[in-house]
Amino acid sequence: MTSEKTTELPLWVQDRDIVIAHDEEVQWREGKRPNYSGTNEVLHQERKFHHPEGSLEAIAQNLVRTFEMEASHKSNPQQWLSIVADKFKMSSNGGEQYTAQEVAEQGTYNLFLGESEQYSSKSETFESSFELFHTAFPNGFLWELTEVLSGPPNVSFKWRHWGTFNGSYKDYTPTGETVEMVGVSIARVTDDLKIESLEHYFDNNAFLQKLTSGGCPFHS
């Protein structure tokens, strides 16, 4: 049962499944609503943090999960409830700032990971990058907020991303190990808790090395 406190919050800082249910005329990439039921089951089993409903931690976590869902599954950024579409900028590790339209066209994996020996964003499309990591982590590459460092309007928080490497990554065989990445982000939000900018800081090379150093390539 939904609490009164929850219903008073803006839709985009409620649970992402509630956001998905309010999909009036949304342009879904797959032509239908995304289904997070399997991911949610694994998340509930493996998460380390249980933030009280209505807490700043829970609100910030819901907001970021809604943004991730919208960036991954809504093709039109003007329909993303979590952001101020015309002002939104996103960067990682102090690099180039990207607009919502660029995120929608290129995908978060490409914009986050860039160019390295283990991954080339120039060689991947939105769709191929999405498929690549969903193949590597068939049970989901899960995300949770671990700690809020400062509140609005500049919400700083720590997070962890993790998944079980049960599927192949390019020519590398799965190891069955849990691959975890941690980082810090800063979200500048409006009075009604929409994101104007996002800055992410994390070691993407360490993450990619875990996918390519443990398993043996299929092809020598």
Side-chain angles (χ1 to χ4, degrees):
M1 184 175 180
T2 304
S3 70
E4 183 177 349
K5 176 181 283 188
T6 298
T7 57
E8 290 175 352
L9 292 171
L11 176 62
W12 46 92
V13 294
Q14 298 184 41
D15 185 90
R16 68 184 169 195
D17 284 333
I18 298 176
V19 180
I20 292 170
H22 291 74
D23 68 343
E24 299 176 6
E25 301 182 357
V26 166
Q27 299 173 29
W28 296 111
R29 290 184 186 275
E30 302 83 7
K32 61 182 180 180
R33 298 171 174 173
N35 184 348
Y36 282 94
S37 58
T39 301
N40 289 340
E41 184 176 346
V42 178
L43 178 63
H44 290 319
Q45 294 172 353
E46 298 185 2
R47 65 182 181 179
K48 296 181 179 180
F49 297 84
H50 300 264
H51 305 300
E53 184 179 350
S55 66
L56 180 56
E57 290 80 6
I59 290 171
Q61 179 169 264
N62 284 342
L63 177 60
V64 175
R65 282 184 179 159
T66 294
F67 166 74
E68 186 278 331
M69 177 273 293
E70 293 183 319
S72 298
H73 297 287
K74 291 184 178 182
S75 58
N76 182 1
Q78 294 297 326
Q79 295 183 329
W80 298 1
L81 303 180
S82 58
I83 68 170
V84 181
D86 297 333
K87 293 183 177 180
F88 179 81
K89 298 286 186 181
M90 184 184 73
S91 66
S92 61
N93 298 320
E96 182 177 350
Q97 291 186 324
Y98 298 99
T99 66
Q101 188 62 43
E102 289 172 321
V103 175
E105 292 173 354
Q106 300 181 51
T108 53
Y109 288 117
N110 283 332
L111 299 187
F112 284 164
L113 298 178
E115 297 295 313
S116 67
E117 292 183 7
Q118 298 88 3
Y119 185 86
S120 172
S121 61
K122 294 179 181 178
S123 302
E124 304 291 344
T125 64
F126 182 106
E127 290 76 17
S128 68
S129 65
F130 194 82
E131 180 64 24
L132 182 64
F133 289 100
H134 279 253
T135 298
F137 302 104
N139 293 327
F141 193 44
L142 310 172
W143 184 92
E144 70 176 343
L145 182 148
T146 61
E147 182 182 0
V148 170
L149 304 175
S150 64
N154 294 312
V155 185
S156 304
F157 53 93
K158 296 179 180 179
W159 48 264
R160 61 185 287 259
H161 239 318
W162 78 98
T164 304
F165 185 20
N166 280 337
S168 61
Y169 173 75
K170 294 184 179 293
D171 290 336
Y172 291 86
T173 58
T175 64
E177 297 180 353
T178 297
V179 175
E180 182 176 271
M181 175 171 61
V182 296
V184 174
S185 295
I186 303 171
R188 182 171 182 81
V189 300
T190 60
D191 290 342
D192 59 351
L193 303 178
K194 285 180 179 281
I195 303 171
E196 290 187 334
S197 66
L198 264 177
E199 300 174 43
H200 301 293
Y201 298 92
F202 58 95
D203 187 345
N204 53 6
N205 289 324
F207 162 66
L208 291 169
Q209 286 169 3
K210 291 177 182 177
L211 296 181
T212 57
S213 61
C216 297
F218 286 118
H219 308 294
S220 58

